[in-house]
Amino acid sequence: MIWYCMLMWVAQVNRQRSMLLCVGVVALSCLSPVPAHAIEVLPTAEQIQAALDQGKEAAQRGRPPDSFYVRFGVTEEVQPKGFLITKIGALSVMATHMALRGLQPSNADMTQVLKGTTMLVSTIILGNTPNFAVDSYMVLEQGGKPIKPVMVRFDAQADRSVVWPKSPRFKAKVVASFNYADFDPKAKTTITVYPATGGESSFSINFGEID
């Protein structure tokens, strides 16, 4: 059933493309705005096409692919921060990368994104030893319920921070993937990273307000 749905999505995308080509720029201007980063587990054909169009437009405007990441935390260099990538955001990122090379995403490319069962969350945390991020862990919390990741990766060797040798001396990545089936894609959420050396870095984000 899942593969049948994926094939139907791809077919709908192709039909939508053909319609847009036939009616031209006027039809494009009539499309309703679609959030670039919304956490849609099952994007519609219209949302898929809008994400691809946004990626192509980003390439034409010189906008970097990572502008479609959903960022959270403080932008200062010596503060914890991070981003997550949704299915719709991933489609725009892919379309931007390919448009910069004069290409378009294939049906196989789109299907690979759409059939994904997990959402990636990437964070940068800070510490004072080169290996402080080893064995770090990440969880989501929604309404008091902890949601465990299916995968966690971390930098075994952290990079120097911009204030080295002052504290915090090092920065490291901690990346996790969470099953869409395990969390509410519209709920207020706290993302927390726990370094094995102690302490934590927490980020609050309302999934329902991502746009």
Side-chain angles (χ1 to χ4, degrees), residues 82-99:
F83 65 85
L84 60 86
I85 305 176
T86 67
K87 288 187 180 182
I88 290 178
L91 288 171
S92 294
V93 169
M94 178 177 63
T96 305
H97 275 296
M98 300 196 75

Side-chain angles (χ1 to χ4, degrees), residues 4-83:
Y4 175 78
C5 292
M6 295 305 172
L7 291 173
M8 290 299 295
W9 283 331
V10 172
Q12 287 178 322
V13 170
N14 287 334
R15 288 198 295 269
Q16 183 72 10
R17 280 181 171 175
S18 298
M19 291 173 63
L20 290 173
L21 289 173
C22 290
V23 297
V25 176
V26 175
L28 284 172
S29 66
C30 294
L31 286 174
S32 299
V34 177
H37 306 128
I39 301 181
E40 295 290 347
V41 181
L42 300 173
T44 65
E46 290 76 13
Q47 289 171 324
I48 293 169
Q49 186 60 54
L52 297 173
D53 290 341
Q54 288 167 351
K56 183 177 180 180
E57 181 181 359
Q60 293 171 343
R61 294 177 178 270
R63 183 178 166 188
D66 64 8
S67 62
F68 292 101
Y69 294 174
V70 180
R71 300 188 182 277
F72 51 83
V74 181
T75 57
E76 296 178 11
E77 284 289 335
V78 289
Q79 293 292 332
K81 61 183 67 67
F83 65 85

